[in-house]
Amino acid sequence: MMRTRPLKVALLGCGVVGSEVARIMTTHADDLAARIGAPVELAGVAVRRPSKVREGIDPNLVTTDATALVKRGDIDVVVEVIGGIEPARALITTAFEHGASVVSANKALLAQDGAALHAAAEEHGRDLYYEAAVAGAIPLIRPLRESLAGDKVNRVLGIVNGTTNFILDKMDSTGAGYQEALDEATALGYAEADPTADVEGFDAAAKAAILAGIAFHTRVRLDDVYREGMTEVTAADFASAKEMGCTIKLLAICERAADGGSVTARVHPAMIPLSHPLASVRGAYNAVFVESDASGQLMFYGPGAGGSPTASAVLGDLVAVCRNRLNGATGPGESAYAALPVSPMGDVVTRYHISLDVADKPGVLAQVATVFAEHGVSIDTVRQQGKDGEASLVVVTHRASDASLTGTVAALRKLDTVRGVASIMRVEGE
């Protein structure tokens, strides 16, 4: 039997995502009510510019006083899609204090203060859901938090930023340089006017922190994630990748150590074999590859951003939270019982592709090989090309720690025969 009294929803933010959430709540009201067991009512919309016309939204619901809206006391669920740290953090905690559960898409806040927000939700017996914070419409948070709750996840490897994937895919498929591909992404609306958060890996790093925390039942903050952007990736890097049967992606990688005693979380560009499922992810799409003991290998794929895809994830959470509300229950909260240490990047072990500019004369290869051996880095393959006294030397290593590779490169720079290090790229996905 359906309850007739509606559940009241406060919407914080009415931009691209928020306006789509409001539209779906209105146009699919009957379906949402049937799925939840009670109607849902948009009780208020907090915005910065109240004079802006918002099609389909009653102007009487619009307010600039978000704090007063979440303090009303009759709000059942607050949907936060304003982003940023403040005032979002204060508004979410205030919502809990005044009896509302929260659905959020705020990856930056969750990566920085997820533990405190979960604690506040638990203290007040409320839900905190955030499927939309990572990979847009792709169901990922709930499968990790619920479907795989009985499994042991060992690795999460993914493309979690559509802007960077569009740029790198364009460089790969057309031979374009970084700036040319970025300009096209901007013209098509895939990149912001200031793309720093995307291309420097900040956005992906926040998502990696959230994924690692859930996957490994360990608190992982944004500061724990190693971050490296993709602005230095060149057409020459793609040419080298193709010679190896690889492409280049900006990856978020969360791993459990082989001995199970620690975890790592990192974001950086990497070569990935064309045979790996992630290599075929094109354009602005996202995909996440999960490896676990019992389930084996799972891949989640779909649109990772945009108003409708992100709103889909928000509405999925809204339905779940409203059902919990009707049943007088709460869903799964934070699971951080494992409390594993987060290892520094220096401990990470992977393969490397190193391109060196060297003198074209006898003995150079022997000198370079000696340096690698002295630092305990085993060489897999070497390719050398020379002309007019100058040469390029491409070395692909077996698996080595980041710290040992860093020492190797520092020693290589001291050799008179090494003119410079053209590029260093990690090789993942094998």
Side-chain angles (χ1 to χ4, degrees):
M1 181 180 295
M2 182 178 294
R3 193 181 80 166
T4 57
R5 184 174 69 81
L7 292 162
K8 294 188 176 183
V9 178
L11 179 61
L12 308 183
C14 199
V16 173
V17 176
S19 59
E20 190 66 7
V21 169
R23 184 191 69 79
I24 295 173
M25 284 184 64
T26 301
T27 59
H28 295 178
D30 291 342
D31 286 340
L32 290 173
R35 294 167 191 170
I36 292 168
V40 288
E41 173 189 315
L42 189 59
V45 182
V47 300
R48 292 179 180 175
R49 298 188 300 275
S51 59
K52 181 179 177 180
V53 176
R54 295 173 172 84
E55 187 177 349
I57 297 178
D58 183 350
N60 293 320
L61 297 179
V62 176
T63 178
T64 58
D65 194 342
T67 301
L69 178 59
V70 299
K71 281 184 173 181
R72 275 178 36 173
D74 65 335
I75 300 297
D76 294 289
V77 184
V78 169
V79 174
E80 183 272 309
V81 288
I82 56 177
I85 305 302
E86 292 292 358
R89 173 169 48 197
L91 291 170
I92 289 173
T93 54
T94 301
F96 291 141
E97 291 167 0
H98 288 78
S101 290
V102 173
V103 172
S104 176
N106 197 330
K107 54 187 170 287
L109 178 57
L110 288 159
Q112 179 172 306
D113 286 322
L117 295 178
H118 275 293
E122 183 177 2
E123 178 185 354
H124 296 285
R126 295 295 177 251
D127 276 321
L128 173 62
Y129 276 46
Y130 43 91
E131 185 68 63
V134 181
I138 305 172
L140 186 59
I141 300 298
R142 194 170 292 123
L144 283 173
R145 202 157 70 159
E146 299 178 31
S147 302
L148 296 175
D151 205 344
K152 178 184 178 184
V153 176
N154 296 310
R155 194 178 199 221
V156 179
L157 173 78
I159 299 164
V160 295
N161 183 277
T163 300
T164 55
N165 199 58
F166 178 89
I167 293 170
L168 292 173
D169 182 40
K170 188 60 62 174
M171 292 175 70
D172 185 26
S173 61
T174 69
Y178 166 75
Q179 189 60 50
E180 182 183 353
L182 173 60
D183 290 344
E184 182 172 351
T186 303
L188 292 172
Y190 291 125
E192 301 285 348
D194 179 2
T196 302
D198 295 322
V199 300
E200 294 295 351
F202 290 100
D203 175 83
K207 296 169 181 176
I210 295 170
L211 291 174
I214 297 171
F216 306 132
H217 305 279
T218 291
R219 287 178 178 169
V220 179
R221 300 182 74 249
L222 182 59
D223 292 344
D224 296 321
V225 181
Y226 172 84
R227 177 195 54 80
E228 184 181 319
M230 41 77 72
T231 57
E232 301 300 318
V233 176
T234 66
D237 292 325
F238 273 101
S240 294
K242 287 181 179 180
E243 290 179 358
M244 290 181 59
C246 293
T247 188
I248 298 172
K249 300 291 187 182
L250 184 75
L251 298 177
I253 305 169
C254 312
E255 292 181 306
R256 188 190 300 269
D259 63 3
S262 64
V263 299
T264 58
R266 50 197 165 102
V267 168
H268 53 72
M271 294 182 180
I272 188 166
L274 294 175
S275 58
H276 194 283
L278 291 178
S280 62
V281 178
R282 312 303 295 268
Y285 275 71
N286 284 191
V288 177
F289 203 71
V290 177
E291 301 175 8
S292 65
D293 277 0
S295 300
Q297 298 178 331
L298 306 170
M299 182 165 157
F300 301 84
Y301 169 85
S308 293
T310 306
S312 171
V314 170
L315 267 296
D317 278 350
L318 179 63
V319 169
V321 169
C322 285
R323 286 171 175 169
N324 291 342
R325 190 84 169 184
L326 287 179
N327 293 326
T330 55
E334 182 188 35
S335 175
Y337 73 90
L340 297 171
V342 182
S343 297
M345 187 62 188
D347 292 347
V348 171
V349 175
T350 189
R351 296 179 68 205
Y352 290 86
H353 176 283
I354 305 103
S355 180
L356 305 172
D357 295 327
V358 299
D360 186 17
K361 62 181 184 180
V364 173
L365 180 55
Q367 285 183 321
V368 169
T370 297
V371 169
F372 275 88
E374 288 174 347
H375 288 80
V377 179
S378 175
I379 294 176
D380 182 17
T381 62
V382 177
R383 186 175 69 256
Q384 184 173 9
Q385 294 178 324
K387 185 179 180 181
D388 299 330
E390 298 295 328
S392 64
L393 191 65
V394 175
V395 178
V396 180
T397 74
H398 288 290
R399 291 174 64 83
S401 72
D402 188 81
S404 62
L405 197 283
T406 299
T408 302
V409 171
L412 288 171
R413 294 183 191 276
K414 295 178 181 179
L415 294 178
D416 293 337
T417 51
V418 175
R419 310 298 194 209
V421 180
S423 69
I424 303 172
M425 187 80 65
R426 296 172 181 86
V427 182
E428 301 284 350
E430 295 183 312

